Amino acid sequence: MTLEKYTKKRDFAKTPEPKGKVHKKSGAVFIVQKHAASHLHYDFRLELDGVLKSWAVPKGPSYNPHEKHLAVEVEDHPIEYASFEGIIPAGEYGGGTVMLWDSGTWEPIKDPHEGYKKGLLKFELHGKKLKGAWSLVRFKNSSGSKPNWLLVKMDDEFANSISDDDLLESNSVKTGRSLDEIKHGK
Ligand code: MN
């Protein structure tokens, strides 16, 4: 695992994002950041092998198992990123406002290394907002630097427990702030 791409994209003299490092001891951190960059999206991150594997989900997660939402795999992020909320300056990579939208732990349902290689990850989320079983499925023939996956809620007792609007419009789990309040430094 390496953070080379992450580090290359950023100027740490200008952005408040953490530089971070690859961790030797592996935990099970799970977070989602709501990111108002050039396009609003939700960054879905799962700790694996000392880094946060990361996907940008333009429509955000949905509790409806019939909603299959595009999740574009992006560069690994450092574990230190899991508590980041704030403003990335305009002109910098990912410039815009970042809200820590959900956080907790995750539990792979099958071997996550095998699953990641095959392009089928199934897992339980123990977040404040996202709970129960979910899956990430990679498109066949999707490779290159930004492989396309689908993020899908699996059918269980949590399925359809909240509407997409109520879910997506909820505030920061870190500070209770809205995107606007974070943007204006309240
Ligand atoms: Mn992002």
Side-chain angles (χ1 to χ4, degrees):
M1 287 298 154
T2 162
L3 293 170
E4 201 182 317
K5 282 186 193 159
Y6 173 85
T7 306
K8 263 196 184 147
K9 286 174 187 284
R10 292 169 175 81
D11 179 350
F12 294 101
K14 291 182 179 157
T15 178
E17 297 165 287
K19 191 154 190 288
K21 60 177 171 61
V22 178
H23 288 232
K24 286 204 182 83
K25 230 176 87 184
S26 223
V29 168
F30 146 71
I31 65 146
V32 180
Q33 279 146 332
K34 187 174 182 177
H35 186 183
S38 50
H39 296 281
L40 180 75
H41 60 273
Y42 295 75
D43 288 302
F44 188 91
R45 311 192 197 277
L46 300 174
E47 178 178 3
L48 190 68
D49 297 333
V51 297
L52 296 173
K53 305 305 288 180
S54 296
W55 291 261
V57 185
K59 287 183 169 177
S62 170
Y63 265 102
N64 180 346
H66 299 295
E67 291 283 336
K68 297 169 168 52
H69 287 183
L70 177 68
V72 180
E73 188 176 353
V74 297
E75 78 274 15
D76 296 341
H77 279 51
I79 311 291
E80 287 84 351
Y81 213 88
S83 59
F84 179 69
E85 175 170 289
I87 299 160
I88 302 171
E92 297 305 302
Y93 181 72
T97 309
V98 178
M99 172 200 290
L100 187 54
W101 183 84
D102 198 15
S103 72
T105 59
W106 73 291
E107 226 180 312
I109 291 174
K110 284 184 179 168
D111 177 37
H113 298 99
E114 199 65 20
Y116 181 76
K117 221 190 305 174
K118 279 189 185 160
L120 176 60
L121 283 168
K122 291 184 177 179
F123 45 85
E124 296 266 350
L125 295 179
H126 308 287
K128 293 190 177 78
K129 296 176 187 176
L130 299 185
K131 298 172 192 293
W134 297 71
S135 67
L136 274 164
V137 189
R138 192 168 56 223
F139 285 62
K140 285 198 170 60
N141 307 317
S142 187
S143 57
S145 63
K146 289 186 167 183
N148 290 337
W149 300 61
L150 293 173
L151 175 65
V152 188
K153 179 74 192 81
M154 291 164 69
D155 207 353
D156 61 13
E157 72 270 31
F158 296 105
N160 298 308
S161 56
I162 179 171
S163 75
D164 291 355
D165 285 352
D166 287 347
L167 177 68
L168 298 175
E169 286 312 310
S170 55
N171 285 355
S172 164
V173 292
K174 184 177 182 178
T175 60
R177 295 181 295 175
S178 67
L179 267 179
D180 232 41
E181 288 170 326
I182 297 167
K183 183 178 176 182
H184 295 110
K186 284 180 187 162

